[in-house]
Amino acid sequence: MAVSQHLNLAPPLVHSGRVDELIQQGQTLSASLSPSSNSLAVFVTSTATRVQKADHSEEQPVYFASIDATPSSDRRLFVSDTSVIFAAFRNLMNAAHDESLEWLQSEKNYNIIRKLAIDYINHIKECWIHVSQPTGSLESSLQFSSDHYRSLYTCFSLFVVLYLPEFGLDDAPVGDDLMEWLNTHFIEPSTEEGDQLSGLERPWEDDTFWPYLTRATLRGLSKASVFFLDILSKHPSEDLQRLSKELKPLINSQPNLQNFSAERDFAYSSRRWNDKVKSLRLDLDRVPEEDRHDGFDNWWDRVSDIVGVLEGREEVILKICEEIGGDWKEVAVAWGVFADIRLRRQDIPEIVGQVLDDMPPDPTNIEDMIHSALFGGQPAKALEFAAKLDPWLAAHLADFMDALNLIETEAEEESGVSLRDQYTLEYADYLHSDSALWRITVVYLCSCGNIGKERADEVILRVPLQLRRRKDITVVSSEEERIRAGDVVGVLKEVNATCFEYHREEVRRTICRIAAQIFVEDKDFGLAVSYCASAEDWPGLGRVVDRVLEEYITNGPAHFARYVADIAPSLQALRSQPGSPGVFVHRLMFAVRYAGFQRRRMDLELQDAALDLVAMLHEDIAPKAWWGILLCDAVDFLQVDPTLLFSYSEAITLLQTLQEIFTRSEQNSGDDYLSILIRTIKGGEKEALDRLKTVRLWLARYFARCTVIGVGGKHVTERRSYAVS
Amino acid sequence: MIQTGLIQSAHNDLVTHAAYDFYGLRLATCSLDQRIKIWQLDESNGNWGAEDDWKAHDAAVSRVCWAHPEFGSIIASSSFDRTVKIWEQTPMGAQENPQPINGTQPASVLSSRWAERAMLIDARGTVRAVEFAPHYFGLKFASISTDNHIRVYECLEQPSLANWLLSEEIDILALPSTSSPSSVSLAFATPTQTSATLEGASASLVAQALQQSQSQTGVQIRPGMGNREADGGWCLSWCKDRYWGEVIAAGCGIGGTVKIIQLSPSRRPTTLLVLDPSPTPYADEGTPPPAPAPSITIPATSTTNDSDSTPAPYAITSIAWAPSCGRSYHLIATGSRDGHVRIWRVKPGDEGGEPEEGESEGKWTASVVADFDHHKSAVGSVEWNITGTVLSSAGNDGRIRLWKATSGNVWRPAGSIGVEQTEEQQDADVDMDDNAAAS
């Protein structure tokens, strides 16, 4: 089927069958597959290695094509509606996983399975009816014809009739059920024919009369049969009048299994009814040869056929079906109603096999092939054809077949997937043609073991997080932006929730890392930090903090403090989170503390700010690269007069820090200590050291002030001890 | 199969490669016109619009690829100008100096928002492919050039993207492997064979092109390079699976084999396995050589004379390592100039087992699970979908072909795409019906 799938793109580049013209120009096609759906970008490329630009420019197109058409709105509705049933069925199956085999076969659970199957049928039927309605808006956009859904309807119904009978009836005669199925889906003879015939004065003179009556009988349509047998009371032949009168009660009284509580009674009643048919045959045979023709037709032959059907004569049923244009289904079903009234489900394949030898199914009609495989007791083969009709059908039938052990449930060695999973994966592949259906795609994929789950990973990962939408809009009010941001987090949250539901932790973390990256680019540092934390991406967290600190370097303290305000709340949560590596949290802590310091400084809370500053150095919170910055910040505080903002020992801390930078710089490690300062003053190491020398000067003056004010004493001792050390 | 869109005029010269971003919402295309363009999908109507367009290289761009989005919006491009460049999309508004990144930008086109962050100039030949490593190995990429070297670069400073460490430089041919193709030396054939194997116009075109590229890049090209450049294939693909560490499959020159190379921070790169289809002697099959399209440069028969036992090698033009997606084995697809698309099933060796000395490739095993010659002419590229369930291949028959695994793990054709005029040009409905019946 797929082999014949060829698409020619428009606008064409060459005439039909002249692809060699393209090749002769040194051109051919190449393609790239899209990760979001089953589509490709196709472009014209060169057949040989070519380095140079063409002499003249020529417009080169890029085409886009899709393996499957994106489901249209009606199809999408069908797909999503039925996915709900699928999920319910999977829940039952998951529950069954922990229970014994008998648990699933209990009446209660069997009835649930059957009910879900019937739910599918009802949905298909609804969809069929919906699609059949000639609404103007739909007709041109119909992706699947109503006939397509009719096919699904017949196939799924047949599956239920044959393989999912009412609880306890799997070993009951199946004839009536099959006849009901046939009459529901393949209505013959047509109502129009009946209407037309009933309007005639002498319908038996019409060519269609006898075929109509015969077929109505064959189909067990007793009302129609009796109606026209009634009309035969006006037939000129007295024999026929009498016979039709006798036939009527017979047809009306054919025993129907549904009316019996025990099969034995049904069989007994059927035997007695058969006896009556036999006596009618005797009656029929007594009609003299010359009275058997009414001038139009040999009515006797016709009546004989009808009686033959009632007698259950196999050759008559076969002959009639051929004459009236019936197919193997009609024969097989009539067989179960007339020839072998106690026909069991397990015997159907044998009977159907014989019938199919005489009347093979139509190989060009996939629906017919599915029917014959189902009748023939070949569920796996039915799936093969179902997959060609619609991946939906194969997937959902396989789901039941697997649960009912109708197909091989073990994973195939080579591919590692079971038959059920294979068809489910194929359907999921189809669903993937519409990226909007990712939730449903994931539901189906995740029902297929590890292979399915890992495929689901790829689908989940590629759900666009839509975090960038606001960029498209040039003017956005702050409120709009908030709403949009909220919306944004909604999508991300949903993806996250899906990962939790199916335990796809690795995927969730990757998504969080991607989100964090996007938030960083948008300077949404608060969100970035929380997503890094959620992904437990500590190096990533470190990078976010670096980016925030970078804000200080490029845009100054005010910007910086504002951004840190976003990330500060995360710090508390992070410190209490077990397993968060200190080094990155430490860096975050510094950013928060430093921003706090800057804010106090701007608010002129100088005493507190000074305390903060020293504490950051004293408690070892400030990274070495930032020491220089902090010391330069200290200058302002050292200059404040007359208050001494630093205690003597605090001033000593500043001096110690300063000294270490100078010492290390002499040892060629200046880069570790000065890099940030160098960047902020936009100079080199020399300029940075010069700047620090000013700090030393101010510190010296500060110590002098300390002495003058007379806070010496103890501090002097400390100072001496420092000098000694 | 159904057509879903069209960019009427994407480039002013043939497109060399196109790559979707991680989400399939943007498409990067590169061309012989030396430009890279970024296209954005408008999800509301399915149309593709130009987002960016800039001159990226001084010669044809051979390939573009996207980095994983957790590193930001980054692409790498490789070129016949012997460089690989790293581009980053700069956030709007953050661009304080809106000067164009390249002077050639016409004022009418929107100014580029992609900034060149690094240029890697180590290659001593044209760079034919570049691919980022799977994201769990960090921001890292591998390139392959006609000097038969794989170069792996690792980003040292992530926010700035300016510093890249050349962490591996692997001479593929020199890398030991027990079944090293013996015929590699014939790559350096005499220049006369170039015109012998190529037909008229095309041959001169290539020669001319190479000559021009030579004068343009100002680099001397060794004699004989022409034949090799035209006949060879240089391609690579990373193993997408984290479990096996950093593994690359690569093919180079006109040797028809693929080496699977393990990279390790502590050891020198080792060859895990060589994929070699040559045990099947295609020459003996009696099949006619691929259709005589001018571009198909079957290695000249004279080259086989010096090694009678070895069938003529065909360059591997493209390798694609499928995402493993829960499979217990790897799938690697190759496309080659012999017109074959092959799918290899590669089984890794015993877990945790250290490769023994000289026995390293015995650990991994491979078999061909599919071999298609439908293109009947050189295959230019192969590519997997994200789940490794659909393979696309492109050949010099002007067709894109798709392949899918069906029941029993048998790979089968799953459709094809061409650009020929159809009988009924308005065939959208027909396609839909086909789809309904066939899908």
Side-chain angles (χ1 to χ4, degrees), chain A residues 5-10 13-15 17 23 28 33 45 47 50 52 54 58 60 62 64 66 388 391 412 414 454, chain B residues 2-5 7 10-13 15 18 70 212 295 326 345 383 395-396 398 408 416 418-421 437 439:
Chain A
Q5 270 191 298
H6 179 75
L7 168 70
N8 270 314
L9 298 162
L13 297 180
V14 287
H15 289 293
I23 309 297
T28 187
L33 283 159
T45 192
T47 52
R50 211 179 101 196
Q52 200 53 26
E58 193 180 348
Q60 292 299 339
V62 174
F64 297 88
S66 185
K388 290 178 184 175
E412 195 213 16
E414 187 76 358
E454 293 207 16
Chain B
I2 180 170
Q3 184 169 353
T4 54
I7 300 172
H11 282 270
N12 286 330
D13 203 341
V15 178
E70 76 169 74
Q212 284 176 356
S295 57
R345 191 183 61 183
E383 193 181 290
N396 284 354
S416 58
V419 282
E420 291 170 53
Q421 193 154 28
S439 56

Side-chain angles (χ1 to χ4, degrees), chain B residues 335-397:
Chain B
S336 61
R337 291 201 195 274
D338 63 359
H340 284 250
V341 173
R342 294 187 182 83
I343 302 174
W344 297 81
R345 191 183 61 183
V346 176
K347 286 208 161 189
D350 291 333
E351 291 168 27
E354 280 292 305
E356 288 163 40
E357 201 58 38
E359 274 255 306
S360 54
E361 69 161 18
K363 294 283 177 184
W364 286 47
T365 54
S367 57
V368 175
V369 290
D371 188 338
F372 299 110
D373 64 350
H374 295 53
H375 283 293
K376 305 280 176 214
S377 61
V379 178
S381 84
V382 286
E383 193 181 290
W384 293 99
N385 68 343
I386 53 162
T387 49
T389 52
V390 178
L391 178 72
S392 78
S393 65
N396 284 354
D397 59 347

